[in-house]
Amino acid sequence: MISSFTFKNFKSFEDATLYIEDFTTLIGQNNAGKTNAFEGIQVLVGIISGQKVSDVLEKYVRGGTKKASRIGTDSFTLGCSVFYKESTKVYYEVTVNCSNEPVIERELITFIDQNSQEVIFQNLNQETG
């Protein structure tokens, strides 16, 4: 089960975490970020499923690639935490650079339990960072 989503420099989010329970609803005023959260989740799912990053951004982000990263930034990071076993979570994080053609700059998978964190996969794009 998914336990949270993270958004860093994505659209209106500077650094935010959306915690997910068995039943979760998003409510709030207009322009509070509800749609931006849904767009971020859709982008994350598209990237995880292997779709081309530029296609995902154009399909799911209002304004496309140019509007995906927070104003004044060239990249954004999205993440997702999933319960794996009793007290263990797996956290996936991806950073996308949007300065030119959007490209995955970094991917990270981490096992997190009560006592430790262990990075089990990390991929850095040598062209961007």
Side-chain angles (χ1 to χ4, degrees):
M1 182 175 140
I2 296 170
S3 62
S4 66
F5 291 99
T6 56
F7 312 89
K8 296 175 188 167
N9 292 324
F10 181 77
K11 298 198 67 144
S12 62
F13 298 112
E14 183 175 3
D15 189 359
T17 301
L18 173 62
Y19 294 98
I20 305 296
E21 300 292 332
D22 290 341
F23 181 78
T24 301
T25 60
L26 292 180
I27 58 172
Q29 298 176 350
N30 291 342
N31 288 328
K34 301 177 301 290
T35 300
N36 291 349
F38 283 119
E39 288 180 5
I41 293 167
Q42 289 176 306
V43 168
L44 187 61
V45 169
I47 289 171
I48 289 171
S49 66
Q51 296 177 44
K52 186 176 175 184
V53 178
S54 59
D55 292 345
V56 170
L57 295 177
E58 293 306 316
K59 182 175 182 180
Y60 295 119
V61 176
R62 289 170 298 148
T65 301
K66 292 180 181 182
K67 298 290 185 175
S69 55
R70 188 172 166 82
I71 294 172
T73 65
D74 290 331
S75 63
F76 64 85
T77 300
L78 300 172
C80 178
S81 184
V82 179
F83 287 109
Y84 176 64
K85 291 183 181 177
E86 279 182 31
S87 59
T88 305
K89 293 180 183 179
V90 176
Y91 179 71
Y92 171 79
E93 183 177 270
V94 62
T95 300
V96 176
N97 187 307
C98 297
S99 56
N100 295 309
E101 177 71 19
V103 62
I104 293 176
E105 188 171 84
R106 177 177 166 267
E107 286 182 287
L108 179 74
I109 300 174
T110 307
F111 273 123
I112 303 169
D113 66 21
Q114 296 174 23
N115 304 312
S116 65
Q117 293 186 19
E118 179 184 359
V119 174
I120 61 166
F121 174 80
Q122 182 167 317
N123 181 31
L124 297 174
N125 184 332
Q126 299 301 314
E127 295 177 17
T128 60

